[in-house]
Amino acid sequence: MTSSYRPSMTVRGFAVMAFLVIVLAGIKSASAIVVPFVLSVFIAMICSPVISTFVRYRVPRWLAVLLMMGLILLAGLWIASIVGSSINDFTKNLPEYRSQLVEQFSWILDKLRQFNIRISKDQVLAYFDPGMALSMTTNTLSGVGNVMANLFLIILTIVFMLFEAESLPRKLHLALDRPDMRMSQIDRFMKSVNRYMVIKTLVSLATGAIAGIGLWLMGVDYPLLWGVVAFLFNYIPNIGSVIAALPPVLLAFVQFGPSGAGGVGILYIAINMVMGNVIEPRFMGRGLGLSTLVVFLSLIFWGWLLGSVGMLLSVPLTMIVKIALENNAQSRKFAILLADDSSAQEIHDRASHEDENTDNADTQATAHKQGENE
């Protein structure tokens, strides 16, 4: 007589947690390989609609891919040259900026002395050092730059992905069980993430262009650098726009005083109000159905796991996890926890409908098999 052992819920929970810890530790230790691959996947997803448009106009796929890769290569080299030269110039001018900052704060120090509050200039520099504000930005840019050091590998990976994109659905259809249902789920996932990445990229480009042009008109130093920073940091949810605004606001304060800093602050507030609250929701709709808390926590988690690239791609990466969880009956409850209210109800209703269709299909298959046996 044999008895089947079934582990308790607690044992299974600990086993799943241990498995996740091992997987995450492996991803973090192999981040030098994982991060360029993840970045290649999302760049390929952004490029895929453009390639499809070229193909519809009878441009050969290989030519469209080569043109797109040439454009990406030129854009990457241009951004690298702008960021590198601007950071070098800023480092050279940092002592002058420090002295100008002390001059701007001199009237505040004089007022404080009238109330017998004495603060030294060294303390002012310690708390309001313009180099500290830039370091937050350059740390993220350097993280992205370290990944872009593997630019040749990334370009090759994107090329092969774009060439394989045409035959991938057919391969998945042959490999999956219940291919029609699985393919509909994969199509829904691809459309959601692809739509998010394309719209976010276009909005980020517009944000960076407007910020750079506005700062150039105001006379703030390094407007191209701050435009690139605004473009990249717009991918970071919630706090990205705030981090991108801090260095130019502080630099405008050093150059022009409180009025200049206020003008730059108003510029960034206006850009984020229009882009974040009007343009982006209009084209993106409900977005990807993640709760606000989950979006913020995903920023911290993916930033820890994959560095700067993880912060930039935190929302689409979390969306991948959410869709993977909702496509499994046992893990669907975790997908509901990640979703916002409307998306959670939609997941629940869709799961009930799919389960009903599955039960009907199983019932028909059973009846058909019984009919054959009779």
Side-chain angles (χ1 to χ4, degrees):
M1 180 177 179
T2 60
S3 60
S4 60
Y5 169 73
R6 192 170 182 178
S8 64
M9 183 70 70
T10 304
V11 174
R12 282 184 288 174
F14 276 115
V16 171
M17 292 176 62
F19 172 76
L20 288 176
V21 169
I22 294 173
V23 170
L24 293 177
I27 292 175
K28 191 167 181 62
S29 62
S31 60
I33 300 174
V34 174
V35 171
F37 176 76
V38 171
L39 188 61
S40 302
V41 170
F42 284 103
I43 293 177
M45 293 179 70
I46 296 171
C47 297
S48 182
V50 182
I51 301 297
S52 300
T53 303
F54 279 129
V55 172
R56 280 200 301 269
Y57 285 97
R58 300 184 182 277
V59 177
R61 174 172 285 272
W62 64 269
L63 181 58
V65 170
L66 290 181
L67 290 174
M68 183 58 62
M69 292 306 101
L71 183 62
I72 292 175
L73 183 61
L74 291 176
L77 295 176
W78 179 71
I79 292 174
S81 64
I82 290 175
V83 172
S85 61
S86 299
I87 291 175
N88 291 334
D89 292 342
F90 186 90
T91 304
K92 292 178 183 177
N93 296 329
L94 192 57
E96 181 181 353
Y97 288 143
R98 283 198 177 100
S99 62
Q100 291 177 357
L101 183 64
V102 173
E103 292 177 3
Q104 295 291 349
F105 271 99
S106 60
W107 65 275
I108 298 179
L109 299 179
D110 293 337
K111 291 292 183 181
L112 292 176
R113 288 194 188 95
Q114 295 178 4
F115 296 95
N116 201 25
I117 300 175
R118 301 185 179 276
I119 301 176
S120 66
K121 294 181 179 180
D122 294 335
Q123 286 178 311
V124 173
L125 285 176
Y127 289 102
F128 298 97
D129 188 354
M132 293 177 62
L134 185 69
S135 65
M136 294 188 299
T137 306
T138 54
N139 286 339
T140 302
L141 291 178
S142 62
V144 178
N146 292 335
V147 176
M148 295 306 291
N150 298 319
L151 184 60
F152 184 70
L153 175 62
I154 293 174
I155 292 294
L156 282 180
T157 307
I158 296 172
V159 168
F160 288 122
M161 285 181 179
L162 292 175
F163 278 123
E164 289 287 329
E166 196 173 14
S167 61
L168 184 61
R170 182 174 57 84
K171 293 179 181 178
L172 290 174
H173 193 277
L174 295 174
L176 296 173
D177 56 330
R178 294 181 185 172
D180 294 334
M181 182 182 297
R182 298 300 183 191
M183 285 302 297
S184 65
Q185 295 169 350
I186 293 172
D187 288 341
R188 187 174 66 250
F189 155 71
M190 292 296 294
K191 289 179 180 178
S192 299
V193 179
N194 191 284
R195 179 178 174 81
Y196 173 84
M197 292 300 298
V198 171
I199 294 176
K200 194 69 174 178
T201 300
L202 294 176
V203 172
S204 299
L205 281 172
T207 301
I210 296 172
I213 293 172
L215 293 173
W216 174 70
L217 293 175
M218 291 181 177
V220 179
D221 291 342
Y222 318 115
L224 283 177
L225 173 64
W226 308 132
V228 172
V229 169
F231 162 70
L232 291 176
F233 279 66
N234 196 59
Y235 285 96
I236 300 177
N238 300 328
I239 64 172
S241 57
V242 177
I243 298 175
L246 284 177
V249 167
L250 185 55
L251 188 57
F253 179 79
V254 170
Q255 289 185 256
F256 310 113
S259 60
V264 173
I266 291 173
L267 171 67
Y268 272 86
I269 291 173
I271 292 173
N272 291 313
M273 287 289 290
V274 174
M275 292 296 176
N277 298 328
V278 179
I279 303 298
E280 190 171 314
R282 178 178 178 181
F283 289 98
M284 199 173 292
R286 285 192 305 107
L288 296 180
L290 296 172
S291 72
T292 306
L293 176 61
V294 169
V295 169
F296 180 72
L297 294 178
S298 69
L299 172 67
I300 300 173
F301 172 76
W302 292 111
W304 165 78
L305 187 65
L306 300 177
S308 302
V309 174
M311 295 175 66
L312 298 176
L313 300 177
S314 59
V315 171
L317 287 170
T318 306
M319 189 61 191
I320 291 173
V321 175
K322 172 177 168 289
I323 293 177
L325 292 174
E326 72 181 67
N327 287 330
N328 188 294
Q330 296 180 347
S331 61
R332 192 167 291 147
K333 54 188 175 183
F334 298 106
I336 294 176
L337 294 176
L338 294 178
D340 57 13
D341 292 339
S342 58
S343 182
Q345 186 63 45
E346 182 182 342
I347 293 171
H348 181 270
D349 296 341
R350 188 169 62 243
S352 301
H353 181 68
E354 290 176 356
D355 291 342
E356 182 179 350
N357 290 340
T358 302
D359 292 339
N360 292 336
D362 292 340
T363 302
Q364 292 177 1
T366 303
H368 180 69
K369 187 175 182 179
Q370 290 177 352
E372 289 179 349
N373 292 335
E374 292 176 357

CSV table of all heavy atoms in Angstrom, one decimal, residues 303-354:
chain,number,residue,atom,x,y,z
A,303,GLY,N,15.4,48.6,-9.7
A,303,GLY,CA,16.6,49.4,-9.5
A,303,GLY,C,17.7,48.7,-8.8
A,303,GLY,O,18.8,48.7,-9.1
A,304,TRP,N,17.2,48.0,-7.7
A,304,TRP,CA,18.2,47.2,-6.9
A,304,TRP,C,18.7,46.0,-7.7
A,304,TRP,O,19.9,45.6,-7.7
A,304,TRP,CB,17.5,46.7,-5.6
A,304,TRP,CG,18.3,45.6,-4.9
A,304,TRP,CD1,19.4,45.7,-4.2
A,304,TRP,CD2,18.0,44.2,-5.0
A,304,TRP,NE1,19.8,44.5,-3.7
A,304,TRP,CE2,18.9,43.5,-4.2
A,304,TRP,CE3,17.0,43.4,-5.6
A,304,TRP,CZ2,18.9,42.1,-4.1
A,304,TRP,CZ3,16.9,42.1,-5.5
A,304,TRP,CH2,17.9,41.4,-4.7
A,305,LEU,N,17.8,45.3,-8.4
A,305,LEU,CA,18.1,44.1,-9.1
A,305,LEU,C,19.0,44.4,-10.4
A,305,LEU,O,20.0,43.7,-10.6
A,305,LEU,CB,16.9,43.3,-9.5
A,305,LEU,CG,17.1,41.9,-10.1
A,305,LEU,CD1,17.7,41.0,-9.0
A,305,LEU,CD2,15.7,41.3,-10.5
A,306,LEU,N,18.6,45.3,-11.2
A,306,LEU,CA,19.2,45.6,-12.5
A,306,LEU,C,19.9,46.9,-12.7
A,306,LEU,O,20.3,47.3,-13.8
A,306,LEU,CB,18.2,45.4,-13.6
A,306,LEU,CG,17.5,44.0,-13.7
A,306,LEU,CD1,16.4,44.0,-14.8
A,306,LEU,CD2,18.5,42.9,-14.0
A,307,GLY,N,19.9,47.7,-11.6
A,307,GLY,CA,20.6,49.0,-11.7
A,307,GLY,C,19.7,50.1,-12.4
A,307,GLY,O,18.5,50.0,-12.4
A,308,SER,N,20.4,51.0,-13.0
A,308,SER,CA,19.8,52.1,-13.7
A,308,SER,C,18.8,51.7,-14.8
A,308,SER,O,17.7,52.2,-14.9
A,308,SER,CB,20.8,53.0,-14.3
A,308,SER,OG,21.7,53.5,-13.3
A,309,VAL,N,19.2,50.6,-15.6
A,309,VAL,CA,18.3,50.1,-16.6
A,309,VAL,C,17.0,49.6,-16.0
A,309,VAL,O,15.9,49.7,-16.5
A,309,VAL,CB,19.0,49.1,-17.5
A,309,VAL,CG1,18.1,48.5,-18.5
A,309,VAL,CG2,20.2,49.7,-18.2
A,310,GLY,N,17.1,48.9,-14.9
A,310,GLY,CA,16.0,48.4,-14.2
A,310,GLY,C,15.0,49.5,-13.7
A,310,GLY,O,13.8,49.3,-13.8
A,311,MET,N,15.6,50.6,-13.3
A,311,MET,CA,14.7,51.8,-12.9
A,311,MET,C,14.0,52.3,-14.2
A,311,MET,O,12.8,52.6,-14.1
A,311,MET,CB,15.5,52.9,-12.3
A,311,MET,CG,16.2,52.5,-11.0
A,311,MET,SD,17.3,53.8,-10.3
A,311,MET,CE,16.1,55.1,-10.0
A,312,LEU,N,14.7,52.4,-15.3
A,312,LEU,CA,14.1,52.9,-16.5
A,312,LEU,C,13.0,52.0,-17.0
A,312,LEU,O,12.0,52.5,-17.6
A,312,LEU,CB,15.1,53.2,-17.6
A,312,LEU,CG,16.2,54.2,-17.3
A,312,LEU,CD1,17.2,54.2,-18.4
A,312,LEU,CD2,15.6,55.6,-17.0
A,313,LEU,N,13.1,50.7,-16.8
A,313,LEU,CA,12.2,49.7,-17.4
A,313,LEU,C,11.3,49.1,-16.3
A,313,LEU,O,10.8,48.0,-16.5
A,313,LEU,CB,13.0,48.6,-18.1
A,313,LEU,CG,13.8,49.1,-19.3
A,313,LEU,CD1,14.6,47.9,-19.9
A,313,LEU,CD2,13.0,49.8,-20.4
A,314,SER,N,11.2,49.7,-15.1
A,314,SER,CA,10.5,49.1,-14.0
A,314,SER,C,9.1,48.8,-14.3
A,314,SER,O,8.5,47.7,-13.9
A,314,SER,CB,10.6,50.0,-12.8
A,314,SER,OG,10.1,51.2,-13.0
A,315,VAL,N,8.4,49.7,-15.0
A,315,VAL,CA,6.9,49.5,-15.3
A,315,VAL,C,6.7,48.3,-16.3
A,315,VAL,O,5.9,47.4,-16.0
A,315,VAL,CB,6.3,50.8,-15.8
A,315,VAL,CG1,4.9,50.6,-16.3
A,315,VAL,CG2,6.3,51.8,-14.6
A,316,PRO,N,7.4,48.3,-17.4
A,316,PRO,CA,7.1,47.2,-18.3
A,316,PRO,C,7.6,45.9,-17.8
A,316,PRO,O,6.9,44.8,-18.0
A,316,PRO,CB,7.9,47.6,-19.6
A,316,PRO,CG,8.9,48.6,-19.2
A,316,PRO,CD,8.2,49.4,-18.1
A,317,LEU,N,8.7,45.8,-17.0
A,317,LEU,CA,9.1,44.6,-16.3
A,317,LEU,C,8.0,44.1,-15.3
A,317,LEU,O,7.8,42.9,-15.3
A,317,LEU,CB,10.4,44.8,-15.6
A,317,LEU,CG,11.7,44.9,-16.6
A,317,LEU,CD1,12.9,45.4,-15.8
A,317,LEU,CD2,11.9,43.6,-17.3
A,318,THR,N,7.5,45.0,-14.6
A,318,THR,CA,6.4,44.6,-13.6
A,318,THR,C,5.2,44.1,-14.4
A,318,THR,O,4.5,43.2,-13.9
A,318,THR,CB,6.1,45.8,-12.7
A,318,THR,OG1,7.3,46.3,-12.1
A,318,THR,CG2,5.1,45.3,-11.6
A,319,MET,N,4.9,44.7,-15.5
A,319,MET,CA,3.8,44.3,-16.3
A,319,MET,C,4.0,42.9,-16.8
A,319,MET,O,3.0,42.1,-16.9
A,319,MET,CB,3.6,45.3,-17.5
A,319,MET,CG,2.3,45.1,-18.3
A,319,MET,SD,0.9,45.3,-17.2
A,319,MET,CE,-0.4,44.7,-18.3
A,320,ILE,N,5.2,42.6,-17.2
A,320,ILE,CA,5.5,41.2,-17.7
A,320,ILE,C,5.2,40.2,-16.5
A,320,ILE,O,4.5,39.2,-16.7
A,320,ILE,CB,6.9,41.1,-18.1
A,320,ILE,CG1,7.1,41.9,-19.4
A,320,ILE,CG2,7.3,39.6,-18.3
A,320,ILE,CD1,8.6,41.9,-19.8
A,321,VAL,N,5.6,40.5,-15.3
A,321,VAL,CA,5.4,39.6,-14.2
A,321,VAL,C,3.9,39.5,-13.9
A,321,VAL,O,3.3,38.4,-13.7
A,321,VAL,CB,6.1,40.2,-12.9
A,321,VAL,CG1,5.7,39.4,-11.7
A,321,VAL,CG2,7.6,40.2,-13.1
A,322,LYS,N,3.2,40.6,-14.0
A,322,LYS,CA,1.7,40.6,-13.7
A,322,LYS,C,1.0,39.8,-14.8
A,322,LYS,O,0.1,39.0,-14.4
A,322,LYS,CB,1.2,42.1,-13.8
A,322,LYS,CG,-0.3,42.2,-13.7
A,322,LYS,CD,-0.7,43.7,-13.7
A,322,LYS,CE,-2.2,43.9,-14.0
A,322,LYS,NZ,-2.6,43.6,-15.4
A,323,ILE,N,1.3,39.9,-16.0
A,323,ILE,CA,0.6,39.1,-17.1
A,323,ILE,C,1.0,37.6,-16.9
A,323,ILE,O,0.1,36.8,-17.1
A,323,ILE,CB,1.0,39.7,-18.5
A,323,ILE,CG1,0.4,41.0,-18.7
A,323,ILE,CG2,0.5,38.7,-19.6
A,323,ILE,CD1,0.8,41.7,-20.0
A,324,ALA,N,2.2,37.3,-16.6
A,324,ALA,CA,2.6,35.9,-16.4
A,324,ALA,C,1.8,35.3,-15.2
A,324,ALA,O,1.4,34.2,-15.2
A,324,ALA,CB,4.1,35.8,-16.1
A,325,LEU,N,1.6,36.1,-14.1
A,325,LEU,CA,0.9,35.6,-13.0
A,325,LEU,C,-0.6,35.4,-13.3
A,325,LEU,O,-1.2,34.4,-12.8
A,325,LEU,CB,1.0,36.6,-11.8
A,325,LEU,CG,2.4,36.7,-11.2
A,325,LEU,CD1,2.4,37.8,-10.1
A,325,LEU,CD2,2.8,35.4,-10.5
A,326,GLU,N,-1.2,36.3,-14.1
A,326,GLU,CA,-2.6,36.2,-14.3
A,326,GLU,C,-3.0,35.1,-15.3
A,326,GLU,O,-4.1,34.7,-15.4
A,326,GLU,CB,-3.2,37.6,-14.8
A,326,GLU,CG,-2.8,37.9,-16.2
A,326,GLU,CD,-3.3,39.3,-16.6
A,326,GLU,OE1,-2.9,40.3,-16.1
A,326,GLU,OE2,-4.2,39.3,-17.6
A,327,ASN,N,-2.0,34.6,-16.0
A,327,ASN,CA,-2.2,33.5,-17.0
A,327,ASN,C,-2.1,32.1,-16.3
A,327,ASN,O,-2.2,31.1,-17.0
A,327,ASN,CB,-1.3,33.6,-18.1
A,327,ASN,CG,-1.6,34.8,-19.1
A,327,ASN,OD1,-2.8,35.1,-19.2
A,327,ASN,ND2,-0.6,35.3,-19.7
A,328,ASN,N,-1.9,32.1,-15.0
A,328,ASN,CA,-1.8,30.8,-14.3
A,328,ASN,C,-2.9,30.9,-13.2
A,328,ASN,O,-3.0,31.8,-12.4
A,328,ASN,CB,-0.4,30.6,-13.7
A,328,ASN,CG,-0.3,29.2,-13.1
A,328,ASN,OD1,-0.9,28.9,-12.1
A,328,ASN,ND2,0.6,28.4,-13.7
A,329,ALA,N,-3.7,29.8,-13.1
A,329,ALA,CA,-4.8,29.8,-12.2
A,329,ALA,C,-4.3,29.9,-10.7
A,329,ALA,O,-5.0,30.5,-9.9
A,329,ALA,CB,-5.7,28.5,-12.4
A,330,GLN,N,-3.2,29.2,-10.4
A,330,GLN,CA,-2.7,29.2,-9.0
A,330,GLN,C,-2.1,30.6,-8.6
A,330,GLN,O,-2.1,30.9,-7.4
A,330,GLN,CB,-1.7,28.1,-8.9
A,330,GLN,CG,-2.3,26.7,-9.1
A,330,GLN,CD,-1.3,25.6,-8.9
A,330,GLN,OE1,-0.1,25.9,-8.8
A,330,GLN,NE2,-1.7,24.4,-8.8
A,331,SER,N,-1.5,31.3,-9.5
A,331,SER,CA,-0.9,32.6,-9.2
A,331,SER,C,-1.7,33.8,-9.6
A,331,SER,O,-1.2,34.9,-9.4
A,331,SER,CB,0.5,32.7,-9.9
A,331,SER,OG,0.3,32.6,-11.3
A,332,ARG,N,-3.0,33.6,-10.0
A,332,ARG,CA,-3.8,34.7,-10.5
A,332,ARG,C,-4.1,35.7,-9.4
A,332,ARG,O,-4.2,36.9,-9.6
A,332,ARG,CB,-5.0,34.2,-11.1
A,332,ARG,CG,-5.8,35.2,-11.9
A,332,ARG,CD,-6.9,34.5,-12.7
A,332,ARG,NE,-6.3,33.7,-13.8
A,332,ARG,CZ,-6.8,32.5,-14.3
A,332,ARG,NH1,-7.8,32.0,-13.7
A,332,ARG,NH2,-6.2,31.9,-15.2
A,333,LYS,N,-4.2,35.2,-8.2
A,333,LYS,CA,-4.5,36.1,-7.0
A,333,LYS,C,-3.4,37.1,-6.8
A,333,LYS,O,-3.7,38.2,-6.4
A,333,LYS,CB,-4.7,35.3,-5.8
A,333,LYS,CG,-3.6,34.3,-5.4
A,333,LYS,CD,-4.0,33.4,-4.3
A,333,LYS,CE,-2.9,32.4,-4.0
A,333,LYS,NZ,-3.3,31.4,-3.0
A,334,PHE,N,-2.1,36.7,-7.1
A,334,PHE,CA,-1.0,37.7,-6.9
A,334,PHE,C,-1.1,38.8,-8.0
A,334,PHE,O,-0.7,39.9,-7.8
A,334,PHE,CB,0.3,37.0,-7.0
A,334,PHE,CG,0.5,36.0,-5.9
A,334,PHE,CD1,0.4,34.6,-6.1
A,334,PHE,CD2,0.7,36.4,-4.6
A,334,PHE,CE1,0.6,33.7,-5.1
A,334,PHE,CE2,0.9,35.5,-3.6
A,334,PHE,CZ,0.8,34.1,-3.8
A,335,ALA,N,-1.5,38.4,-9.2
A,335,ALA,CA,-1.7,39.4,-10.3
A,335,ALA,C,-2.8,40.4,-9.9
A,335,ALA,O,-2.7,41.6,-10.2
A,335,ALA,CB,-2.1,38.7,-11.6
A,336,ILE,N,-3.9,39.9,-9.2
A,336,ILE,CA,-4.9,40.8,-8.8
A,336,ILE,C,-4.4,41.8,-7.8
A,336,ILE,O,-4.7,43.0,-7.7
A,336,ILE,CB,-6.1,40.0,-8.3
A,336,ILE,CG1,-6.8,39.2,-9.4
A,336,ILE,CG2,-7.1,40.9,-7.6
A,336,ILE,CD1,-7.9,38.3,-8.9
A,337,LEU,N,-3.5,41.3,-6.9
A,337,LEU,CA,-2.9,42.2,-5.9
A,337,LEU,C,-2.0,43.3,-6.5
A,337,LEU,O,-1.9,44.4,-6.0
A,337,LEU,CB,-2.1,41.4,-4.9
A,337,LEU,CG,-2.8,40.5,-4.0
A,337,LEU,CD1,-1.9,39.7,-3.1
A,337,LEU,CD2,-3.8,41.2,-3.1
A,338,LEU,N,-1.4,43.0,-7.7
A,338,LEU,CA,-0.5,44.0,-8.3
A,338,LEU,C,-1.3,45.0,-9.1
A,338,LEU,O,-0.8,46.1,-9.4
A,338,LEU,CB,0.5,43.2,-9.3
A,338,LEU,CG,1.5,42.3,-8.7
A,338,LEU,CD1,2.3,41.7,-9.8
A,338,LEU,CD2,2.4,43.1,-7.8
A,339,ALA,N,-2.6,44.6,-9.5
A,339,ALA,CA,-3.3,45.5,-10.4
A,339,ALA,C,-4.1,46.6,-9.6
A,339,ALA,O,-4.2,46.5,-8.4
A,339,ALA,CB,-4.3,44.6,-11.2
A,340,ASP,N,-4.5,47.6,-10.4
A,340,ASP,CA,-5.4,48.6,-9.8
A,340,ASP,C,-6.8,48.0,-9.7
A,340,ASP,O,-7.1,46.9,-10.1
A,340,ASP,CB,-5.3,49.9,-10.6
A,340,ASP,CG,-5.7,49.7,-12.1
A,340,ASP,OD1,-6.2,48.6,-12.4
A,340,ASP,OD2,-5.4,50.6,-12.9
A,341,ASP,N,-7.8,48.9,-9.2
A,341,ASP,CA,-9.1,48.3,-9.0
A,341,ASP,C,-9.8,47.8,-10.2
A,341,ASP,O,-10.3,46.7,-10.3
A,341,ASP,CB,-9.9,49.4,-8.3
A,341,ASP,CG,-9.5,49.8,-6.9
A,341,ASP,OD1,-8.8,48.9,-6.3
A,341,ASP,OD2,-9.7,50.9,-6.4
A,342,SER,N,-9.8,48.6,-11.3
A,342,SER,CA,-10.5,48.2,-12.5
A,342,SER,C,-9.9,47.1,-13.2
A,342,SER,O,-10.5,46.1,-13.7
A,342,SER,CB,-10.6,49.4,-13.5
A,342,SER,OG,-9.3,49.9,-13.8
A,343,SER,N,-8.5,47.1,-13.2
A,343,SER,CA,-7.8,46.0,-13.8
A,343,SER,C,-8.0,44.7,-13.1
A,343,SER,O,-8.0,43.6,-13.6
A,343,SER,CB,-6.3,46.3,-14.0
A,343,SER,OG,-5.6,45.3,-14.6
A,344,ALA,N,-8.0,44.8,-11.7
A,344,ALA,CA,-8.2,43.6,-10.9
A,344,ALA,C,-9.6,42.9,-11.2
A,344,ALA,O,-9.7,41.7,-11.3
A,344,ALA,CB,-8.1,43.9,-9.4
A,345,GLN,N,-10.6,43.7,-11.3
A,345,GLN,CA,-11.9,43.2,-11.7
A,345,GLN,C,-11.9,42.6,-13.1
A,345,GLN,O,-12.5,41.5,-13.3
A,345,GLN,CB,-13.0,44.3,-11.6
A,345,GLN,CG,-14.4,43.8,-11.8
A,345,GLN,CD,-14.8,42.9,-10.7
A,345,GLN,OE1,-14.6,43.1,-9.5
A,345,GLN,NE2,-15.5,41.8,-11.1
A,346,GLU,N,-11.2,43.2,-14.0
A,346,GLU,CA,-11.1,42.7,-15.3
A,346,GLU,C,-10.4,41.3,-15.4
A,346,GLU,O,-10.8,40.4,-16.1
A,346,GLU,CB,-10.4,43.7,-16.2
A,346,GLU,CG,-10.3,43.3,-17.7
A,346,GLU,CD,-9.5,44.3,-18.5
A,346,GLU,OE1,-9.3,45.4,-18.1
A,346,GLU,OE2,-9.0,43.9,-19.6
A,347,ILE,N,-9.3,41.2,-14.6
A,347,ILE,CA,-8.6,39.9,-14.5
A,347,ILE,C,-9.5,38.8,-14.0
A,347,ILE,O,-9.6,37.7,-14.5
A,347,ILE,CB,-7.3,40.1,-13.7
A,347,ILE,CG1,-6.3,41.0,-14.3
A,347,ILE,CG2,-6.7,38.7,-13.4
A,347,ILE,CD1,-5.2,41.3,-13.4
A,348,HIS,N,-10.3,39.2,-12.9
A,348,HIS,CA,-11.2,38.2,-12.3
A,348,HIS,C,-12.3,37.7,-13.3
A,348,HIS,O,-12.5,36.5,-13.4
A,348,HIS,CB,-11.8,38.8,-11.0
A,348,HIS,CG,-12.7,37.9,-10.3
A,348,HIS,ND1,-14.1,37.8,-10.6
A,348,HIS,CD2,-12.5,37.0,-9.3
A,348,HIS,CE1,-14.6,36.9,-9.8
A,348,HIS,NE2,-13.7,36.4,-9.0
A,349,ASP,N,-12.9,38.7,-14.0
A,349,ASP,CA,-13.9,38.4,-14.9
A,349,ASP,C,-13.4,37.5,-16.1
A,349,ASP,O,-14.0,36.6,-16.5
A,349,ASP,CB,-14.6,39.6,-15.4
A,349,ASP,CG,-15.3,40.4,-14.3
A,349,ASP,OD1,-15.6,39.8,-13.3
A,349,ASP,OD2,-15.6,41.6,-14.5
A,350,ARG,N,-12.2,37.9,-16.6
A,350,ARG,CA,-11.6,37.2,-17.7
A,350,ARG,C,-11.3,35.8,-17.3
A,350,ARG,O,-11.4,34.8,-18.1
A,350,ARG,CB,-10.4,38.0,-18.3
A,350,ARG,CG,-9.9,37.4,-19.6
A,350,ARG,CD,-8.9,38.3,-20.2
A,350,ARG,NE,-7.7,38.5,-19.4
A,350,ARG,CZ,-7.3,39.7,-18.9
A,350,ARG,NH1,-8.1,40.8,-19.2
A,350,ARG,NH2,-6.3,39.8,-18.1
A,351,ALA,N,-10.8,35.6,-16.1
A,351,ALA,CA,-10.4,34.3,-15.6
A,351,ALA,C,-11.6,33.4,-15.5
A,351,ALA,O,-11.6,32.2,-15.9
A,351,ALA,CB,-9.7,34.4,-14.3
A,352,SER,N,-12.7,34.0,-15.0
A,352,SER,CA,-14.0,33.2,-14.9
A,352,SER,C,-14.5,32.8,-16.3
A,352,SER,O,-14.9,31.6,-16.5
A,352,SER,CB,-15.0,34.0,-14.2
A,352,SER,OG,-14.6,34.4,-12.9
A,353,HIS,N,-14.4,33.7,-17.2
A,353,HIS,CA,-14.8,33.4,-18.6
A,353,HIS,C,-14.0,32.3,-19.2
A,353,HIS,O,-14.5,31.4,-19.9
A,353,HIS,CB,-14.8,34.6,-19.4
A,353,HIS,CG,-15.3,34.4,-20.9
A,353,HIS,ND1,-16.6,34.1,-21.2
A,353,HIS,CD2,-14.6,34.5,-22.0
A,353,HIS,CE1,-16.7,34.0,-22.5
A,353,HIS,NE2,-15.5,34.2,-23.0
A,354,GLU,N,-12.6,32.4,-19.0
A,354,GLU,CA,-11.7,31.4,-19.6
A,354,GLU,C,-11.9,30.0,-18.9
A,354,GLU,O,-11.9,29.0,-19.6
A,354,GLU,CB,-10.3,31.8,-19.4
A,354,GLU,CG,-9.9,33.0,-20.3
A,354,GLU,CD,-8.5,33.5,-20.1
A,354,GLU,OE1,-7.8,32.9,-19.2
A,354,GLU,OE2,-8.0,34.4,-20.8
